[in-house]
Amino acid sequence: MVQKAWLHCVVPAVMDSENSVQDKALEILELVLLDQVKPHSEGRHLDNSQKLTWDLLGLLCNECQNLGSESSAVCFL
């Protein structure tokens, strides 16, 4: 539930009309999601930040239609 709420707040903020809100939302998405994506090697376990990232990305794929029309472009980043 917390991950879903996070996605429903942060992802639409990327398309906010206020530039400072967009910048902060992009900064958070980069920090939490993009910076945590690392090559996967067999036999190597994901650390907590990587697991959170993949959980959020999976949830984002499932929730993309529900995030609102303004944020639909973000779903394809």
Side-chain angles (χ1 to χ4, degrees):
M1 295 296 286
V2 172
Q3 291 175 351
K4 188 184 269 191
W6 187 87
L7 285 174
H8 281 271
C9 291
V10 175
V11 172
V14 171
M15 303 299 286
D16 195 272
S17 60
E18 178 63 42
N19 288 339
S20 61
V21 174
Q22 289 178 3
D23 291 343
K24 194 60 171 178
L26 285 170
E27 180 183 324
I28 291 169
L29 283 173
E30 184 176 0
L31 179 69
V32 174
L33 294 180
L34 300 177
D35 288 350
Q36 299 305 318
V37 176
K38 297 186 174 68
H40 178 71
S41 61
E42 206 168 312
R44 184 176 144 211
H45 295 286
L46 298 175
D47 63 30
N48 287 339
S49 62
Q50 289 174 311
K51 181 168 178 4
L52 173 61
T53 295
W54 288 110
D55 288 347
L56 286 169
L57 287 171
L59 188 58
L60 180 60
C61 288
N62 293 332
E63 291 291 317
C64 199
Q65 314 91 325
N66 303 325
L67 290 173
S69 60
E70 309 86 36
S71 63
S72 61
V74 176
C75 295
F76 300 103
L77 285 178

